[in-house]
Amino acid sequence: MPYSQTVLINPCGVALPPHYALAARKGIPAGATLGLLNNGKTNVRLILDHIATALQQRLGFADVLHIRKPGVAHPCPEEQLHTLASRCAVVVNGVGD
């Protein structure tokens, strides 16, 4: 009878992810506007409102611009992207459910 051997390999290893340094952060200019891009999903407005409140308190944005794209399955129109890029120092794209 031939000899057979079963080799067990332990799949539990220790993964050491590489260390990445954070990119240098620029300050938020005085009077800056925070842009919020609503993708139209359920609850995204609630999530974005909480994010806006936290960022205003932490970073001092003077204004918040809310923009809603036509729908979750549609890309954001160029006009809306241009508005966000030209008026906002920071833009948060929200996804909710």
Side-chain angles (χ1 to χ4, degrees):
M1 188 146 115
Y3 175 74
S4 71
Q5 181 178 6
T6 302
V7 177
L8 298 177
I9 299 173
N10 183 351
C12 300
V14 177
L16 298 174
H19 174 73
Y20 296 104
L22 295 176
R25 301 292 186 233
K26 296 179 180 179
I28 302 297
T33 297
L34 170 65
L36 301 175
L37 179 56
N38 179 329
N39 67 352
K41 291 191 101 175
T42 305
N43 295 322
V44 71
R45 178 64 190 239
L46 177 64
I47 293 167
L48 288 175
D49 285 345
H50 283 289
I51 291 170
T53 299
L55 291 177
Q56 280 185 294
Q57 290 172 352
R58 184 172 177 183
L59 301 174
F61 286 99
D63 194 19
V64 178
L65 173 64
H66 293 267
I67 290 186
R68 182 177 176 164
K69 62 182 222 168
V72 70
H74 303 287
C76 189
E78 289 292 324
E79 181 181 309
Q80 289 180 331
L81 293 174
H82 176 74
T83 299
L84 289 166
S86 64
R87 293 184 49 194
C88 302
V90 174
V91 176
V92 176
N93 179 22
V95 178
D97 263 336

